[in-house]
Amino acid sequence: MGSQWTKDNIYRKSVREGYRARSAYKLIDINQRFNIIRKTDNVVDLGAAPGSWLQVLRTMTEGQLLGVDLNPIVPMENVITVTGDFTTPEIQEKIMEHMPLVNVVVCDAAPHLSGAKAYDQARIMALNEDALRFAEKLLKQGGNFVMKSFQGTDFNELLELVKERFYSVRVIRSTATRRGSTECYIVAKNFIGDADDDRKKSSE
């Protein structure tokens, strides 16, 4: 009963404040706690539909924003949207053409779940790994990465992969996550990057 009330309460709040989904409050919570996004950051949002994280990002940065999703995203001012699968080379090239310099990558994407726990967890981990690999292509040195995941089989292995590429990695549960859910967020700061990639070296 409590979890249902939490769901309804946050949903009503999102409608009242004009957000496209309740997930908006997850990004607000994460940024308040970890200061992931700064005022001039260029940000790519993977799995962005319906666009609630893009709505929040517009209030956090004056930099360029791009959202990509399999489903079309209702346009919003000063936001580039791409419809397609971000795991494919064609869509990745299109994103990189629009966003040659990226400070932050966020990913709230999750596959449609079948209800078969082992199968679903494997698909979640595969999507997480795809998001991580693409983030590595996009981010400049010192950049930040936030990704939704679910704790379960192979989660620790995924976490180790992230730790190999970022100096600071935390796993957190958002205050807006439904009770009883295994959903969590990997918050990775300060991308190690490639010392030979002059284009993506930090200017700080």
Side-chain angles (χ1 to χ4, degrees), residues 56-181:
V56 172
L57 288 166
R58 285 198 308 172
T59 70
M60 294 177 174
T61 178
E62 297 170 0
Q64 182 62 64
L65 301 179
L66 182 146
V68 56
D69 199 282
L70 289 169
N71 300 310
I73 302 165
V74 175
M76 58 183 75
E77 189 176 357
N78 298 324
V79 176
I80 300 167
T81 58
V82 175
T83 302
D85 184 347
F86 75 79
T87 69
T88 64
E90 296 80 10
I91 296 299
Q92 290 187 1
E93 288 176 14
K94 184 179 291 188
I95 293 168
M96 289 188 285
E97 286 173 6
H98 284 298
M99 301 285 284
L101 179 64
V102 177
N103 307 94
V104 182
V105 175
V106 297
C107 181
D108 197 38
H112 292 294
L113 303 181
S114 68
K117 187 174 180 181
Y119 174 70
D120 287 341
Q121 184 68 13
R123 293 175 64 221
I124 289 165
M125 292 299 104
L127 180 62
N128 284 166
E129 289 188 21
D130 285 337
L132 172 62
R133 296 309 178 204
F134 188 36
E136 290 175 15
K137 293 181 182 180
L138 289 171
L139 284 172
K140 63 180 290 186
Q141 284 184 322
N144 298 328
F145 179 47
V146 176
M147 176 171 64
K148 177 165 71 178
S149 189
F150 292 83
Q151 292 181 317
T153 306
D154 297 329
F155 177 79
N156 288 336
E157 286 80 357
L158 171 69
L159 193 58
E160 289 305 313
L161 290 176
V162 181
K163 288 179 177 179
E164 289 174 5
R165 307 303 290 147
F166 294 83
Y167 285 110
S168 172
V169 180
R170 299 281 298 275
V171 178
I172 65 117
R173 277 181 57 85
S174 168
T175 55
T177 295
R178 295 182 179 92
R179 295 176 188 173
S181 172

